[in-house]
C-alpha cells in the first residue's frame, strides 16, 4: 500500500494540481488559459498571472520538487504552491540550461 501511495503521489500530484488550477481559472475567468510570466532573480522567482495582476514570489530555498511534462516544468514550493513554466517560453537560455539551473536550486524533501 505504501509503495502504491508513493507512486500515486509522484505521478498524480502535479497533474491534479494542474487540473485544480485550470478549474479555478475556468470558474474565475471562463477560460483555463492565462498568461504566466515568471522572472528569475538571484535568490527568488516571481510569477505573475495576467488576469489577476497578482504576483507570487518564492525563494529558491522554498522549492521542494521539480516535475516535468512534455511541455511544462512544474515546481512545488514548501507552501504547496505550484509554479507552471512552459518549456517553449524561455527568452534567455533553453530548457536544458534551465533544468540544470533548477536541479541545483531545488531541495527535495
Amino acid at each position: 500500500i505504501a509503495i502504491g501511495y508513493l507512486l500515486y503521489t509522484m505521478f498524480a500530484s502535479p497533474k491534479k494540481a494542474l487540473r485544480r488550477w485550470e478549474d479555478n481559472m475556468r470558474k474565475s475567468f471562463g477560460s483555463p488559459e492565462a498568461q504566466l510570466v515568471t522572472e528569475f532573480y538571484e535568490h527568488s522567482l516571481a510569477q505573475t498571472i495576467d488576469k489577476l495582476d497578482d504576483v507570487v514570489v518564492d525563494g529558491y530555498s522554498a522549492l521542494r520538487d521539480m516535475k516535468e511534462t512534455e511541455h511544462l516544468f512544474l515546481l512545488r514550493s514548501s507552501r504547496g504552491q505550484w509554479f507552471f513554466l512552459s518549456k517553449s517560453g524561455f527568452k534567455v537560455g533553453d530548457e536544458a540550461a534551465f533544468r540544470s539551473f533548477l536541479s541545483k536550486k531545488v531541495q527535495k524533501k
Side-chain angles (χ1 to χ4, degrees):
I1 292 174
I3 292 172
Y5 177 75
L6 289 173
L7 290 173
Y8 172 78
T9 58
M10 279 179 41
F11 296 109
S13 290
K15 291 177 184 176
K16 287 176 85 173
L18 182 57
R19 274 195 303 268
R20 274 195 311 271
W21 184 78
E22 287 177 344
D23 289 344
N24 287 336
M25 291 300 292
R26 258 190 217 96
K27 287 176 189 170
S28 298
F29 305 107
S31 171
E33 300 172 358
Q35 179 71 34
L36 297 173
V37 176
T38 308
E39 297 173 286
F40 298 90
Y41 301 99
E42 186 174 345
H43 300 289
S44 63
L45 61 98
Q47 190 169 71
T48 306
I49 301 173
D50 67 343
K51 296 182 184 226
L52 297 177
D53 291 329
D54 190 23
V55 179
V56 177
V57 178
D58 228 333
Y60 296 121
S61 61
L63 297 178
R64 295 294 181 251
D65 200 5
M66 178 176 77
K67 304 281 186 193
E68 289 186 53
T69 68
E70 182 180 351
H71 303 287
L72 296 172
F73 285 104
L74 305 161
L75 307 175
R76 184 178 58 86
S77 79
S78 58
R79 296 180 295 128
Q81 171 75 38
W82 283 91
F83 294 94
F84 302 102
L85 308 165
S86 172
K87 290 181 176 180
S88 64
F90 293 104
K91 292 185 179 182
V92 176
D94 60 13
E95 84 179 66
F98 182 73
R99 187 180 296 111
S100 174
F101 168 77
L102 270 186
S103 67
K104 296 172 187 160
K105 300 288 186 186
V106 172
Q107 314 228 341
K108 291 196 178 199
K109 290 186 181 175

